[in-house]
Amino acid sequence: MAKISRTLLSAWLLTLHVQLCTGRVEPLPSLPYDLQYYLDTCHGTGDLNDKPAELAFWGAMQMYVSKFCEENPSMTTSEKAFLQKTVTTSFAPISASGRGKRQATRPRLRKEIRTMTITERARYFNALTRLKRDTRLRPNIYDVLAGFHTGANMQRAHFGPAFTGWHRLYLWILESFLRLHDPEVTVPFWASVLDNEMEDPTESVIFSGAFFGPGVGLPTSGPFRGWQQINPATVFNRNVGGGQLYTYEGIDAILRRRRNSELLFPTAEADSNFEEQHGGPHIFVGGTMNDLNAAARDPIFFSHHSFVDQIWERFRYNQRAAGIPTETDYPWVPNDPRYNPAQSPTNITGFFPDGQLNLDYIQITGYSDAFFQLVQYEQVPTCPLCGGSQYLRCNPTTNRCVSRSIAEMRTANVDIDTLPGLEQAAPGRKKRLISYKENNVCHRKPFINDFSVNRLQLSTAISARQTHAMEYAYVPVKIVTKRPSNYKHFSIYSLYEKPMNGLGFKQELVNIGTNKPYRSCDKSLDSPGKIKIVAYGINHGAYSEEYVITDNRLAISESSGVIAVKMPTGLNPSEVMVAAFDSCGRVCRPYCKSDANMAHNSYFTGGVRISVTSPLIYGTSYGEALLNVWDIQTENMCPTMDYNKIPLTFFCEYTDNWIWGGSSRTGSGSGSTIGGKISVRALRTGRGRAGRIGVSNPRSPIRPSPLDFHNPFQIHG
């Protein structure tokens, strides 16, 4: 009896504790204007049957959350002098070109990283490591340069015509600092299109110790093992497996165009949207690369952007062949409100802390033809030789080069765990590297990566005694998934293409969706499906992601999970933007229980407010959130799930409905259409059933007048 009493008491105390430590989750009545603007800009370049939803959402959220990022710290007099001298010297050939002087500088040759010799690769990695150790700029030169790609500079570098030129200048600056330590090194490009040709790109040799190091977790091996970790912002991690690497089809769509306005926001064509395509590898690498405001902390960032620049130079070569002046093809319309003023061709690039240096360069500098003489690229390796690289092979079926996997190299007894000639990143802190042969376990395929990539930025320093659990609140979620129409196995059990009568609203469960998947979607489809859930802070700088596993064999399946959000307080509710995507980048429609009894799901755009107000619906730990939705009334009772305690549900229906406000072709959004007429809200955002309304491009929305709304580009002053 005493044992039973203690059990009942413990259960009662647990239930009480769960309820006392939880609070309310409710949909926001509307999204912040600047966030809605970014989403509408993405919508203006194509619907979800034109492009994968995850790319559009990711780009908009990256721009929005840049407001929470810190700027570079102030510099000492000696640091300013060193930075100014180095940059001025590096830009002398470009400036001289503008004055018509002859260039005597030998061009920098950039190669695909797998075609470099072992010595060339080691010299490049060593130069990066030396920048990481070089404290002539605090905390070190590498991290100062990585800090250029954060905060207010996101407005100057992304979502506009400066995207390509700004990053071209950024590569030039990094390369110039690398040459302080080795005057012959260049930034190799990572042609991820070669990895995309693999059956499983996560197994690419690129993510081995001889190249960029592991694809999951911290850099525990490879050239960046032992890098200084001065503060949390300098630690990078990866979580490979999502997103979309570059594809030949996507690159061909870019190279077929002749004007930059067809490639770049806000007038890009859906299939040749250069910036959205570039986001795929960022998402694929995951972790730090998944956060544009920190992505440059991972050195793979610069090789990814070297490939972006290589593609753009091929595009510019075609422009020159067609007689188009490349230096002046900067798409800019001064009175068009769709364009970000920070990307005016005469605006500064913002590389250097405002007011601290007597120099900066303007946006159109990145379009200079001087780079045609100063930088040259090797071609992407092609069959049959594939650049003579042992890390590539020719696929006879496609006649395209494809990266070899880590397993292939090990089978061939090629050492890809170490790279001869690498310098130690942190002298005196040797760590024993366990080789593959010493680790007698099966290689684990990262279908589900257990490494946490959640991040939280607070305005005040976090005490070492504060635990991770107290920083986050945990919200239960449910996932309802239709079987993907392009999943071909178990077709005998499909509900598609079967005569279904009298189903009413259930007809939605048998309609084939048109949400555009990633081009390599078929490779990732298997019996177990993976739905990624993400949460971005709206009024704070937090991010979290989680996975839920579904069963693609079933026509309709249901799963549950938990997503972390910043812990609210009595005075500061936590506002977040939540979304869910399948492994093909297709979005799942969000629903929230917003009624008083928490009994009915209502569609919303994904913005939620978490507060300490009743009803109690989330937990202060993963365990609390999970246990709160399971009911066990007696000792011998089978556990049952209380769906009224799950506030968020995502329905993966795979349709092309634009779900993030602005307008909705189904009439469920704030810009719905009735009887074929366009609503006032749809007119303001330039969207409607009849088509798009644009200023100079009918595919892009009109931004509301500054007389009606504040300017989102004034966020950073």
Side-chain angles (χ1 to χ4, degrees):
M1 179 65 70
K3 181 178 180 180
I4 295 176
S5 298
R6 284 195 300 270
T7 301
L8 293 176
L9 177 61
S10 297
W12 178 80
L13 289 174
L14 175 61
T15 302
L16 178 63
H17 179 63
V18 169
Q19 292 181 349
L20 289 177
C21 294
T22 54
R24 183 176 177 84
V25 178
E26 56 188 338
L28 292 174
S30 62
L31 298 178
Y33 170 72
D34 43 344
L35 174 55
Q36 189 63 67
Y37 166 75
Y38 294 129
L39 291 166
D40 288 346
T41 299
C42 290
H43 194 186
T45 62
D47 288 323
L48 298 187
N49 59 352
D50 300 320
K51 56 187 176 182
E54 187 175 18
L55 289 182
F57 178 82
W58 179 84
M61 293 308 306
Q62 295 302 311
M63 294 299 294
Y64 178 80
V65 300
S66 64
K67 65 167 70 179
F68 302 115
C69 297
E70 297 180 0
E71 302 299 318
N72 286 322
S74 59
M75 295 183 177
T76 65
T77 301
S78 62
E79 287 175 329
K80 293 178 186 177
F82 167 69
L83 181 59
Q84 182 152 338
K85 179 182 178 181
T86 305
V87 173
T88 302
T89 301
S90 74
F91 273 86
I94 300 170
S95 302
S97 174
R99 295 192 295 269
K101 294 184 179 180
R102 173 175 293 203
Q103 300 301 301
T105 305
R106 185 158 59 95
R108 304 176 181 183
L109 179 62
R110 295 174 183 165
K111 303 179 179 181
E112 210 287 328
I113 192 166
R114 280 161 288 210
T115 66
M116 299 172 77
T117 66
I118 290 177
T119 300
E120 288 172 333
R121 213 174 341 129
R123 289 178 65 176
Y124 171 64
F125 290 147
N126 286 340
L128 285 170
T129 294
R130 292 171 192 171
L131 281 190
K132 188 73 171 175
R133 293 198 306 244
D134 194 330
T135 57
R136 282 178 283 182
L137 298 177
R138 296 168 298 161
N140 59 73
I141 292 179
Y142 183 88
D143 284 314
V144 169
L145 298 182
F148 289 174
H149 195 268
T150 191
N153 273 357
M154 290 299 97
Q155 303 292 341
R156 302 181 179 105
H158 289 273
F159 254 51
F163 166 71
T164 47
W166 192 98
H167 287 85
R168 170 164 285 190
L169 296 178
Y170 192 26
L171 281 170
W172 180 265
I173 291 172
L174 173 82
E175 205 167 62
S176 299
F177 276 92
L178 289 171
R179 289 185 163 213
L180 295 179
H181 293 281
D182 188 333
E184 296 298 319
V185 300
T186 56
V187 179
F189 63 91
W190 169 39
S192 59
V193 67
L194 302 173
D195 307 278
N196 190 66
E197 291 290 295
M198 300 176 65
E199 191 66 29
D200 183 1
T202 66
E203 295 293 303
S204 170
V205 70
I206 282 291
F207 301 108
S208 68
F211 285 87
F212 287 107
V216 177
L218 296 167
T220 55
S221 64
F224 313 116
R225 175 176 61 93
W227 266 31
Q228 300 147 290
Q229 298 180 358
I230 297 171
N231 59 59
T234 68
V235 181
F236 72 86
N237 58 69
R238 301 186 185 125
N239 203 36
V240 296
Q244 166 74 69
L245 297 175
Y246 268 111
T247 67
Y248 284 104
E249 294 79 9
I251 295 172
D252 287 344
I254 291 171
L255 298 180
R256 285 198 303 269
R257 303 293 189 262
R258 289 295 175 266
R259 292 289 184 176
N260 282 291
S261 59
E262 299 173 283
L263 310 183
L264 304 172
F265 282 115
T267 56
E269 299 290 336
D271 64 337
S272 58
N273 190 321
F274 202 1
E275 187 167 353
E276 281 190 341
Q277 283 195 34
H278 123 280
H282 274 280
I283 300 172
F284 175 86
V285 175
T288 303
M289 270 283 281
N290 191 47
D291 176 7
L292 277 185
N293 292 277
R297 306 287 178 187
D298 185 344
I300 202 173
F301 168 92
F302 292 102
S303 287
H304 167 52
H305 271 278
S306 185
F307 186 46
V308 172
D309 195 63
Q310 195 256 17
I311 296 171
W312 193 44
E313 188 55 36
R314 290 158 65 187
F315 167 80
R316 285 163 60 87
Y317 179 86
N318 292 341
Q319 281 191 306
R320 284 188 285 270
I324 297 173
T326 51
E327 281 194 319
T328 58
D329 187 41
Y330 190 99
W332 180 257
V333 182
N335 297 321
D336 188 336
R338 295 172 300 170
Y339 288 89
N340 181 346
Q343 299 204 19
S344 163
T346 57
N347 200 51
I348 63 171
T349 57
F351 285 120
F352 313 108
D354 292 341
Q356 295 191 38
L357 290 177
N358 187 28
L359 58 86
D360 209 320
Y361 299 90
I362 59 176
Q363 296 283 27
I364 203 169
T365 305
Y367 278 59
S368 171
D369 279 341
F371 289 102
F372 181 65
Q373 302 294 333
L374 297 172
V375 177
Q376 294 181 3
Y377 284 97
E378 287 191 348
Q379 293 290 338
V380 175
T382 57
C383 288
L385 299 179
C386 293
S389 172
Q390 64 178 332
Y391 307 107
L392 301 172
R393 61 177 176 84
C394 181
N395 183 341
T397 303
T398 61
N399 198 35
R400 291 172 175 171
C401 296
V402 57
S403 178
R404 293 189 183 274
S405 68
I406 294 173
E408 283 182 272
M409 301 308 296
R410 286 175 175 151
T411 300
N413 292 319
V414 177
D415 183 8
I416 42 82
D417 296 308
T418 58
L419 180 63
L422 277 185
E423 297 176 359
Q424 267 194 290
R429 297 175 58 190
K430 293 184 179 180
K431 293 183 179 180
R432 178 172 172 267
L433 178 63
I434 299 176
S435 70
Y436 175 80
K437 294 180 180 179
E438 295 173 317
N439 189 7
N440 295 317
V441 295
C442 296
H443 182 59
R444 179 172 176 270
K445 292 172 69 69
F447 176 74
I448 307 172
N449 297 335
D450 297 328
F451 184 80
S452 174
V453 295
N454 294 356
R455 54 185 178 268
L456 178 62
Q457 294 176 337
L458 298 178
S459 57
T460 57
I462 301 174
S463 167
R465 290 186 296 272
Q466 287 181 284
T467 64
H468 174 82
M470 295 308 294
E471 298 168 19
Y472 284 97
Y474 296 83
V475 180
V477 296
K478 182 174 70 173
I479 304 291
V480 178
T481 309
K482 287 168 56 175
R483 186 183 191 183
S485 58
N486 58 329
Y487 179 65
K488 305 303 181 184
H489 306 289
F490 276 70
S491 58
I492 191 173
Y493 299 121
S494 175
L495 293 183
Y496 298 126
E497 300 178 0
K498 300 288 191 300
M500 300 285 180
N501 300 316
L503 291 177
F505 293 113
K506 291 184 181 180
Q507 192 67 39
E508 179 63 32
L509 297 173
V510 299
N511 290 335
I512 297 179
T514 56
N515 194 322
K516 187 179 181 68
Y518 291 130
R519 286 186 171 92
S520 58
C521 174
D522 290 341
K523 297 179 184 177
S524 60
L525 286 179
D526 203 345
S527 296
K530 183 169 70 172
I531 305 296
K532 178 168 68 175
I533 311 167
V534 298
Y536 288 87
I538 292 180
N539 63 352
H540 59 277
Y543 170 82
S544 64
E545 69 177 55
E546 190 52 80
Y547 296 99
V548 169
I549 304 304
T550 61
D551 189 348
N552 283 334
R553 297 174 304 168
L554 299 177
I556 305 161
S557 64
E558 180 181 275
S559 306
S560 61
V562 173
I563 185 68
V565 299
K566 181 179 179 293
M567 177 65 70
T569 64
L571 298 177
N572 296 294
S574 180
E575 295 182 353
V576 299
M577 186 72 175
V578 295
F581 304 91
D582 75 348
S583 57
C584 294
R586 296 173 290 205
V587 69
C588 305
R589 183 182 288 270
Y591 293 84
C592 186
K593 292 184 183 297
S594 57
D595 59 309
N597 297 322
M598 304 298 290
H600 302 289
N601 288 314
S602 299
Y603 163 70
F604 74 124
T605 57
V608 294
R609 178 182 292 113
I610 297 95
S611 66
V612 296
T613 308
S614 294
L616 312 175
I617 206 71
Y618 65 81
T620 60
S621 71
Y622 175 85
E624 284 183 350
L626 192 64
L627 292 175
N628 196 37
V629 302
W630 287 98
D631 188 17
I632 305 179
Q633 296 181 1
T634 65
E635 184 175 4
N636 295 320
M637 177 183 175
C638 180
T640 58
M641 183 173 287
D642 186 347
Y643 290 103
N644 289 337
K645 292 183 179 179
I646 302 180
L648 299 177
T649 297
F650 295 93
F651 176 31
C652 304
E653 58 177 341
Y654 307 123
T655 66
D656 66 343
N657 296 322
W658 186 266
I659 67 173
W660 296 298
S663 68
S664 172
R665 294 176 182 269
T666 61
S668 22
S670 58
S672 61
T673 59
I674 303 175
K677 297 181 179 180
I678 305 175
S679 69
V680 174
R681 178 61 182 272
L683 283 171
R684 280 184 168 177
T685 57
R687 304 287 305 175
R689 190 181 300 274
R692 303 175 179 88
I693 303 173
V695 176
S696 62
N697 185 335
R699 294 183 61 81
S700 299
I702 295 177
R703 199 173 93 200
S705 167
L707 298 176
D708 298 326
F709 302 96
H710 73 276
N711 187 338
F713 302 115
Q714 294 175 350
I715 298 168
H716 304 291

